[in-house]
Amino acid sequence: MDIIELDINDSSAVEQWFIATQKVRVHDIPDFPESTLECELKGLRHPWPGNREELWLAVENGNVVGYFQLSLPILDNLSNVEVDLCVLPERRRRGIGRALYAKAVERARANDRTTMIAMAPETLPGTGIVRDDAGNAFAAAMGAKRVHEDVRRRWEADSISEVDIRAQLTEAWKHAAGYELVTWRERVPDNLVESQAYLDSRLVKDAPMGGLAWEPENFDVARVRAGEEVAAARGRRQFAAGIVHSETGRLAAYTVIGMDGGTDWHGWQLITIADPDHRGHRLGTIVKLENVLFARSMWPELWVVDTWNAAVNQHMISINEAMGFRKMETWVNWQQKI
Ligand code: ACO
């Protein structure tokens, strides 16, 4: 077996890698949306700002049997590297994962990284959904430490009626005098971009991170705009709802749903944040509910939204569950000093 870096101009290798990602998805998380080669290729060509990526393939007799992708932060978290490592379901338990992991460690060290972070799905009792827990057994066998848990929850358009959404909104808005709703698609309005950058910089400080060694990320206007340009280049549609504090004109809370180019029914819940200075006004509830109404008014086929929350983030979880999000599985964060 050879482990070689993917050349994104090698269309045959890219296609084999893409087919492998879809086989892994069908085995491990079959309810994730299908992607398309075109969409994944755009992702390879347009990494998120602040990140450099490497993608390596395990090749046996000319066939891709596994792969790993390293995400190397280049603006902050310079000691960290995230790894996404997978082996074809029919080729597991033959040492391919172990060989890929050793290569990932070698590449992480070559990039001066000292902390490797990865996530793996785990069955969450009570959901009725069974996941292949191989990733967690594998991470433990590699010597990584379980440091944090997220839970994925899923919202479906028929989880809650529009009448109930509007009733929750009417109640929540009673607590939000002096605030106004604003919605936008792919580009935050110029008068709000600086306060969005401020909120983006707060996220890692404010959200529970358990034992994850992840330092706060610094966003400025240029980084926000660069992120929007990359999202557009990747073909991602975005729907955002924000709350403006009328007195200062600043964004006090906002949330975004992103739909990847390869799907017309599925959205990822991206950031949701309320400025600590403006808590206690139900702003988190309002932006979440207003945004599903906004997104579906813009894109009626949007039926499903997936969100991840720290298992201990009770405030966000109670907002999500009240609007109909239901548990799917745990995502264990693994961390290793290398
Ligand atoms: N049950 C118990 N132990 C396991 C299992 C399992 N299903 N799978 C791997 N291990 C452990 C064993 O100790 C194994 O050694 P052994 O076979 O000598 O007992 C060791 O991990 C190495 O196993 P490999 O054969 O090298 O791993 P494999 O090629 O099967 O790939 C992988 C493992 C990558 C986890 C695969 O199951 C997969 O693609 N899962 C889905 C994606 C995923 O969860 N990725 C891992 C994220 S965590 C991380 O990267 C640190």
Side-chain angles (χ1 to χ4, degrees):
M1 183 184 67
D2 297 315
I3 301 182
I4 54 168
E5 187 164 14
L6 176 69
D7 169 3
I8 62 172
N9 297 311
D10 178 344
S11 53
S12 157
V14 169
E15 188 171 355
Q16 276 210 48
W17 162 76
F18 168 71
I19 291 168
T21 65
Q22 298 308 296
K23 285 186 177 168
V24 167
R25 175 185 63 78
V26 167
H27 176 86
D28 287 296
I29 313 281
D31 56 273
F32 270 4
E34 276 180 28
S35 191
T36 60
L37 179 57
E38 188 196 355
C39 177
E40 295 303 319
L41 194 52
K42 283 182 182 165
L44 294 178
R45 290 198 196 287
H46 302 283
W48 295 107
N51 252 324
R52 203 172 68 67
E53 294 188 348
E54 288 188 9
L55 181 45
W56 291 76
L57 307 176
V59 180
E60 243 178 34
N61 304 321
N63 299 314
V64 172
V65 292
Y67 54 86
F68 70 83
Q69 188 157 13
L70 296 183
S71 296
L72 300 146
I74 50 175
L75 298 178
D76 35 48
N77 289 285
L78 299 178
S79 305
N80 291 348
V81 56
E82 289 179 284
V83 59
D84 178 20
L85 187 154
C86 299
V87 172
L88 282 188
E90 67 270 23
R91 306 310 301 269
R92 293 183 182 173
R93 291 310 286 272
R94 294 165 200 216
I96 298 170
R98 194 185 285 281
L100 282 169
Y101 198 78
K103 185 72 183 178
V105 169
E106 180 194 312
R107 291 303 308 153
R109 287 189 180 134
N111 283 285
D112 296 325
R113 307 292 156 145
T114 53
T115 302
M116 200 144 104
I117 295 168
M119 289 178 95
E122 182 174 70
T123 301
L124 183 56
T127 57
I129 301 169
V130 177
R131 295 303 184 210
D132 184 338
D133 291 339
N136 298 297
F138 172 77
M142 296 303 106
K145 299 244 172 322
R146 183 179 179 122
V147 290
H148 185 55
E149 287 172 7
D150 291 302
V151 172
R152 176 171 68 111
R153 286 179 175 74
R154 170 163 280 198
W155 181 88
E156 293 181 68
D158 58 1
S159 306
I160 182 171
S161 70
E162 196 172 320
V163 172
D164 285 344
I165 292 180
R166 293 202 184 278
Q168 285 192 30
L169 274 171
T170 303
E171 178 56 31
W173 272 111
K174 289 181 191 161
H175 301 261
Y179 294 92
E180 293 155 41
L181 176 70
V182 55
T183 54
W184 65 91
R185 289 280 313 253
E186 281 72 23
R187 194 173 190 278
V188 62
D190 285 338
N191 61 324
L192 300 178
V193 64
E194 191 277 322
S195 44
Q196 179 183 315
Y198 169 78
L199 292 178
D200 289 351
S201 300
R202 287 216 63 102
L203 184 67
V204 172
K205 293 180 199 135
D206 294 351
M209 302 291 286
L212 267 179
W214 203 263
E215 67 189 29
E217 298 168 357
N218 291 313
F219 282 82
D220 56 14
V221 169
R223 191 166 173 185
V224 171
R225 291 296 184 217
E228 292 170 344
E229 275 166 29
V230 169
R234 293 170 79 116
R236 178 175 267 184
R237 286 146 284 167
Q238 296 200 154
F239 307 93
I243 297 286
V244 174
H245 182 226
S246 312
E247 195 185 315
T248 57
R250 290 181 67 78
L251 202 55
Y254 88 105
T255 189
V256 182
I257 293 171
M259 295 181 72
D260 284 336
T263 170
D264 61 1
W265 57 273
H266 180 273
W268 306 109
Q269 173 65 59
L270 307 176
I271 189 170
T272 301
I273 187 164
D275 188 333
D277 291 349
H278 296 276
R279 298 248 166 100
H281 295 284
R282 311 267 168 103
L283 304 188
T285 301
I286 293 171
V287 288
K288 290 292 302 267
L289 291 166
E290 293 284 8
N291 204 31
V292 290
L293 292 179
F294 172 62
R296 294 202 73 239
S297 72
M298 293 281 112
W299 200 275
E301 299 95 320
L302 174 64
W303 193 258
V304 165
V305 177
D306 282 321
T307 191
W308 278 257
N309 302 115
V312 295
N313 192 349
Q314 208 41 59
H315 184 58
M316 191 74 248
I317 289 169
S318 58
I319 291 173
N320 287 338
E321 294 203 327
M323 68 186 281
F325 277 93
R326 294 288 165 260
K327 289 178 193 162
M328 300 297 285
E329 73 277 309
T330 300
W331 285 76
V332 183
N333 292 253
W334 293 88
Q335 185 166 286
Q336 187 170 28
K337 288 277 169 212
I338 54 168

